[in-house]
Amino acid sequence: MAQWEQITTSVDAVVSRLRALDASLPARDGVAVFNRVYLAVTEAVDRRIDTGRFADAQAATTLDVRFAERYLAAVDAVDDGRRPPACWRPLFQLRRHPGVRPLQFALAGINAHIGHDLALAVVDSCRTLRCEPADLEDEFDRVGDLLVSLEERIREDLMPGPDLLQIADPLTHLLGAWSLERARDATWSAARALWALRELPDVAEEFTERLDAAVGFAGRMLLTPLP
C-alpha cells in the first residue's frame, strides 16, 4: 500500500511528506517544480493556522489535509505504476520534457490541484465535519487568497529573463490564457454542485469525471512545449 493511503489529520504530516518529496526529486523535474510551490503554500497555511489567522482552525486543517491527500495520492499512484487522475496526467507525462519551462510546470500543477482536487476536497471536508460547503467558504477564500498572492510571486520568479525573450513572448501569451482567480471561482461552483448531487451518485460520478477531463485538457495546453 502506498504510504499516503493512510489517513492523516495533521498539516505537519503533509509538510513532512512534501519536504521528503522535495528532497527525493531532481530539481528540474516538473513534479518537483510544482511540489516546491505547494510546499510553500502548505507551510504558509500551517503558520496561519498556528497563529490563529483562521477563525475555525479545525475546518482549515481538515480542508488543507483533504486537499493535500488528492495530490499525494496522484504521486503514489504514479510511483505504484497506476494511472493518476486525468487532471494530473499531463504533468507526470511531460515532467522531463526539455521544451517545457518551470513556470509551465508550476501552473499546470496548480491548475490540476485547484481545478479538480480542491472541489473534491471541499466535499470530503464537508463529509468529515458534517457541515455544508457554505460553512467552509471563509477557509476556502483565505486559502484561495494565499494562492493568488503566491501565484504572482511564482510568475515573477520563474519567468525567463531578458536574455530569453524569444521564449518569454510565447510563454506570456500561453499563460495569459489561464487565470487562478477564474479557476478558483469555477472550483467553488463545482464543489457546491457536487455537494448538491451527493444523493445522486451516478450523476456525481459523471460530473467528477468530466471535471477531471476538462482540467486535464487545460493542463495539457499549459504544458505545450515551446521553441
Side-chain angles (χ1 to χ4, degrees):
M1 177 183 291
Q3 60 182 310
W4 193 254
E5 290 178 355
Q6 302 175 22
I7 296 174
T8 181
T9 57
S10 166
V11 179
D12 289 338
V14 173
V15 170
S16 295
R17 177 73 198 282
L18 294 175
R19 287 175 178 167
L21 277 172
D22 184 53
S24 68
L25 295 172
R28 182 62 179 78
D29 183 289
V31 177
V33 173
F34 168 72
N35 192 80
R36 287 194 294 272
V37 171
Y38 192 41
L39 174 58
V41 170
T42 306
E43 289 174 332
V45 170
D46 197 20
R47 288 193 296 271
R48 282 161 173 74
I49 292 173
D50 289 344
T51 56
R53 300 279 293 277
F54 286 94
D56 188 335
Q58 182 185 12
T61 298
T62 301
L63 180 59
D64 192 61
V65 171
R66 294 292 172 262
F67 189 28
E69 284 174 344
R70 295 282 173 176
Y71 161 59
L72 294 171
V75 171
D76 286 340
V78 174
D79 287 347
D80 292 345
R82 294 178 285 116
R83 280 163 64 87
C87 61
W88 285 108
R89 284 175 209 156
L91 179 59
F92 283 100
Q93 290 168 350
L94 296 170
R95 63 194 295 178
R96 297 181 182 89
H97 197 296
V100 179
R101 307 302 161 185
L103 180 56
Q104 292 174 265
F105 288 132
L107 294 186
I110 293 172
N111 169 70
H113 206 34
I114 296 295
H116 173 266
D117 293 354
L118 185 53
L120 273 62
V122 170
V123 174
D124 292 341
S125 298
C126 287
R127 288 183 172 135
T128 298
L129 298 169
R130 298 182 180 180
C131 67
E132 298 286 325
D135 298 321
L136 297 178
E137 189 167 7
D138 287 346
E139 287 70 31
F140 179 95
D141 287 341
R142 285 180 182 274
V143 172
D145 290 344
L146 176 61
L147 284 163
V148 169
S149 66
L150 284 174
E151 185 209 15
E152 295 171 357
R153 193 180 76 191
I154 292 162
R155 286 179 183 265
E156 291 174 0
D157 290 348
L158 297 181
M159 180 65 77
D163 57 327
L164 293 175
L165 285 178
Q166 73 275 18
I167 294 174
D169 284 343
L171 184 62
T172 300
H173 176 76
L174 176 67
L175 300 178
W178 185 84
S179 163
L180 177 55
E181 296 241 28
R182 289 197 299 270
R184 184 178 68 169
D185 291 344
T187 292
W188 183 247
S189 296
R192 294 178 63 225
L194 280 169
W195 184 251
L197 292 170
R198 66 191 183 279
E199 303 299 333
L200 299 170
D202 291 345
V203 179
E205 181 179 2
E206 181 179 352
F207 183 96
T208 301
E209 289 176 355
R210 291 184 182 277
L211 176 66
D212 189 20
V215 173
F217 180 77
R220 183 62 186 83
M221 296 301 100
L222 285 170
L223 292 172
T224 300
L226 299 174

